[in-house]
């Protein structure tokens, strides 16, 4: 039986338990979130009971027939107005689930706690023997009070295994990213580290799930397992992020005390405005006063924490996919697209290289060639241009960046999948970018006419790994672009034109 199966750690744990051959019954408040989890991990239908962990009847129904229990659920609101209820529910839920599981002789009973339950500024490196926290942080207090429930049962001989994870990040479990993961994504988005004198303990959610499932063996009695994971100071944090994203991540010269003050201020604001920023008194205290932990030997359970850079790389990808980070914020960690599905360039007539690269053509071409194409376009009412199967062209209609007027430009184009096109700002290898590229940067919405069909499009300038991948496709169609690129010192702007569905609707 599991509580918290639709949460971040709980979701990964449920999936890992099912993969290991266990039968899971989840106590959930939202069957819809359980379905999202099932789809995300490609799981079979998960047995469940709908109810709350503070409801005795629901807990009893979920525990019926169970051999073991995993208690992952906790209710703690960062909204100051909801903290009291959150603490009360967390304690009541832990008491009800753990006591009922023990009364039914379940073995083992796993309680997922947190290093926050033991964290106390100045307490030194945490061990499993540290007393529950008395620091007075709301989140820590909720975890510490639930910890007391579990420890009292352990003292009575209950086979409860208490697990102490640190800040847990990694891929989401369905729609659940985890609070620490979302907070770290917010810091990542800023591109700035608040201070040099700080550190954070980080573990991978997949490793935590493996550990919890590995504990599902009878007969081991009461246990406590500390798993702080990797201790990452700000220098290492900046190095990892620079390696993965290519961004600088400068450090602000703020003293730790200032950060704690900002956290207290944010908590005060939150009492009036229901905001949920990464900065709060608890997180800033842990960030600036964390002294590490003495982790248990996880090799005993067949678990080894994966490389921290792998955890960050997978987390960045997940945050980007989930909309927590933009393309710019993820930088060079943006996934490299699969090789283009564009068709193989057909054989046919292409303008000879000696002509296109000659000085007379590069001088007169900009004056003559566009006019010829525009004339043919008007005569045929957009049905054709002076092109061939091997050298297709389209007519691009942009909005002037300065004038706001419609501009008509014939362009060599590379047809891609799903009605998309690549276009290159070659400009006859002249030293400046063509005006149409500036227009697209100012207003990405445009229209094209290709083979007589007029289509609204949205332009996107390619960069980094994506540009490199698409550039290879472009020059496969137009090898002369390689020579053009060599002639000029500027990087030729490469755009993908994608059908604008909103434009079609309007």
């Amino acid at each position: 039986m599991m509580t918290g199966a639709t949460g971040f750690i709980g979701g990964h744990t449920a999936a890992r338990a099912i993969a290991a051959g266990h039968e899971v019954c989840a106590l959930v408040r939202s069957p819809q979130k359980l379905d999202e989890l099932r789809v995300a991990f490609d799981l079979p239908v998960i047995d469940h009971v709908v109810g709350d962990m503070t409801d005795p009847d629901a807990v009893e129904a979920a525990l019926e027939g169970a051999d073991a229990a995993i208690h992952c659920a906790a209710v703690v609101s960062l909204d100051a107005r909801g903290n009291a209820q959150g603490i009360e529910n967390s304690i009541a839920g832990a008491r009800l689930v753990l006591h009922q599981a023990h009364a039914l002789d379940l073995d083992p009973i796993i309680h997922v706690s947190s290093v926050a339950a033991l964290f106390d500024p100045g307490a030194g490196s945490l061990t499993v023997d540290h007393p529950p926290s008395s620091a007075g942080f709301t989140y820590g207090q909720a975890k510490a009070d639930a910890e007391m429930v579990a420890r009292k049962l352990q003292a009575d001989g209950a086979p409860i295994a208490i697990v102490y994870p640190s800040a847990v990040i990694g891929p989401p479990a369905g729609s659940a990213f985890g609070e620490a993961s979302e907070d770290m994504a917010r810091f990542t988005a800023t591109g700035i580290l608040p201070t040099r004198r700080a550190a954070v303990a980080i573990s991978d959610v997949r490793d935590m799930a493996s550990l919890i499932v590995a504990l599902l063996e009878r007969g081991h009695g009461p246990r406590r397992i500390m798993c702080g994971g990797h201790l990452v100071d700000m220098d290492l944090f900046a190095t990892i992020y620079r390696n993965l994203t290519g961004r600088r991540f400068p450090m602000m010269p703020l003293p730790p005390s200032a950060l704690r003050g900002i956290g207290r201020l944010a908590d005060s604001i939150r009492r009036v405005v229901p905001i949920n920023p990464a900065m709060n008194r608890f997180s800033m205290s842990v960030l600036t006063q964390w002294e590490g932990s003495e982790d248990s030997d996880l090799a005993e359970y067949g678990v080894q924490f994966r490389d921290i850079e792998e955890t960050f790389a997978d987390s960045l990808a997940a945050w980007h996919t989930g909309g927590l980070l933009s393309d710019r914020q993820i930088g060079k960690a943006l996934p490299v697209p699969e090789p283009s599905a564009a068709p193989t360039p057909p054989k046919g007539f292409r303008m000879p290289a000696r002509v296109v690269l000659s000085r007379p053509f590069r001088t007169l071409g900009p004056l003559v060639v566009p006019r010829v194409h525009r004339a043919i376009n008007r005569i045929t009412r957009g049905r054709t241009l002076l092109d061939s199967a091997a050298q297709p062209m389209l007519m691009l209609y942009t909005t002037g960046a300065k004038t706001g007027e419609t501009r008509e430009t014939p362009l060599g184009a590379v047809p891609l999948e799903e009605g998309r096109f690549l276009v290159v700002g070659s400009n006859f290898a002249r030293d400046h970018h063509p005006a149409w590229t500036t227009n697209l940067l100012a207003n990405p919405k445009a229209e094209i006419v290709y083979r007589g069909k007029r289509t609204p499009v949205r332009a996107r300038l390619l960069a980094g790994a994506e540009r490199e991948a698409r550039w290879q496709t472009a020059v496969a169609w137009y090898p002369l672009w390689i020579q053009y690129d060599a002639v000029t010192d500027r990087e030729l702007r490469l755009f993908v034109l994608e059908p604008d569905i909103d434009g079609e609707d309007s």
Side-chain angles (χ1 to χ4, degrees), residues 340-483:
S340 173
T344 303
K347 295 181 179 179
F349 175 78
R350 285 191 174 95
M351 188 74 72
R354 64 179 181 275
V355 174
V356 177
L357 293 173
S358 66
R359 184 174 296 276
F361 184 86
R362 290 173 53 208
T363 301
L364 298 175
L367 303 175
V368 176
V369 174
R371 288 183 169 87
V372 172
H373 283 293
R374 292 189 187 105
I376 295 174
N377 184 59
R378 292 190 182 97
I379 292 170
T380 64
R381 297 183 179 179
R383 289 190 296 272
T384 186
L385 290 169
L386 189 62
D387 62 359
S388 68
Q391 194 167 314
M393 298 194 68
L394 57 77
M395 189 65 74
L396 174 69
Y397 296 88
T398 60
T399 301
K402 295 182 179 179
T403 65
E405 297 179 357
T406 300
R407 299 301 186 191
E408 182 184 51
T409 308
L411 295 173
V414 178
L416 299 176
E417 66 282 359
E418 299 175 353
R420 297 186 293 167
F421 295 87
L422 289 177
V423 288
V424 176
S426 58
N427 202 21
F428 296 88
R430 290 186 289 183
D431 292 334
H432 58 275
H433 295 291
W436 65 265
T437 66
T438 304
N439 294 344
L440 287 181
L441 293 177
N443 187 354
K445 286 193 172 186
E447 288 187 335
I448 62 171
V449 173
Y450 181 72
R451 300 290 190 260
K453 181 181 178 182
R454 196 177 188 100
T455 306
V457 295
R458 180 177 289 273
R460 182 164 58 87
L461 180 66
L462 303 183
E466 185 179 15
R467 183 191 187 280
E468 180 59 30
R470 289 301 195 186
W471 176 251
Q472 299 307 316
T473 300
V475 297
W477 280 79
Y478 288 89
L480 290 174
W481 280 334
I482 297 177
Q483 283 89 344

Side-chain angles (χ1 to χ4, degrees), residues 37-51:
L37 179 76
R38 181 181 61 80
V39 172
F41 289 101
D42 193 21
L43 302 173
V45 174
I46 301 173
D47 187 22
H48 64 278
V49 171
V50 178

Side-chain angles (χ1 to χ4, degrees), residues 86-307:
I87 293 173
E88 183 180 330
N89 288 345
S90 290
I91 299 167
R95 182 179 295 113
L96 181 60
V97 172
L98 299 180
H99 275 274
Q100 285 206 24
H102 181 43
L104 293 171
D105 292 326
L106 271 60
D107 183 7
I109 303 166
I110 301 173
H111 174 60
V112 181
S113 183
S114 168
V115 294
L118 311 179
F119 172 72
D120 210 338
S125 182
L126 295 184
T127 72
V128 294
D129 296 322
H130 265 75
S133 173
S134 59
F137 300 111
T138 301
Y139 178 76
Q141 180 184 341
K143 287 293 188 180
D145 289 348
E147 173 82 5
M148 288 298 300
V149 174
R151 288 196 179 193
K152 286 179 181 178
L153 284 169
Q154 279 188 330
D156 292 337
I160 293 179
I162 305 177
V163 181
Y164 303 95
S166 56
V168 182
I169 64 175
S175 59
F177 281 87
E179 183 180 330
S181 203
E182 290 181 355
D183 284 350
M184 201 159 295
R186 293 188 189 101
F187 271 121
T188 304
T190 66
I192 299 174
L193 301 179
T195 182
R196 187 178 297 277
R197 294 155 55 190
V200 59
I202 295 174
S203 52
D204 191 297
V205 67
R206 294 163 293 188
D207 298 332
M208 288 305 310
S210 295
L211 171 63
I212 294 168
V213 173
L215 295 172
L216 286 173
E217 291 185 357
R218 298 179 63 87
H220 291 277
R223 290 177 288 175
R224 297 177 196 163
I225 301 94
M226 179 68 69
C227 38
H230 300 278
L231 184 62
V232 182
D233 63 23
M234 294 300 101
D235 287 324
L236 178 56
F237 194 104
T239 298
I240 292 173
Y241 266 42
R242 279 196 297 267
N243 290 342
L244 292 175
T245 69
R247 299 168 62 195
R248 289 182 54 247
F249 282 88
M251 295 189 192
M252 297 174 62
L254 286 177
S257 58
L259 285 178
R260 295 192 291 272
I262 292 172
R264 287 192 293 271
L265 176 61
D267 283 348
S268 298
I269 295 174
R270 197 177 295 111
R271 295 180 184 277
V272 181
V273 181
I275 59 174
N276 182 20
M279 281 199 173
N280 53 72
R281 177 172 169 250
F282 171 72
S283 63
M284 292 300 99
S285 294
V286 172
L287 182 68
T288 59
Q289 296 176 301
W290 179 255
E291 297 181 59
S293 60
E294 297 179 24
D295 285 4
S296 305
D297 182 9
L298 302 188
E300 176 184 349
Y301 309 105
V303 176
Q304 180 179 359
F305 282 119
R306 66 195 65 205
D307 182 78

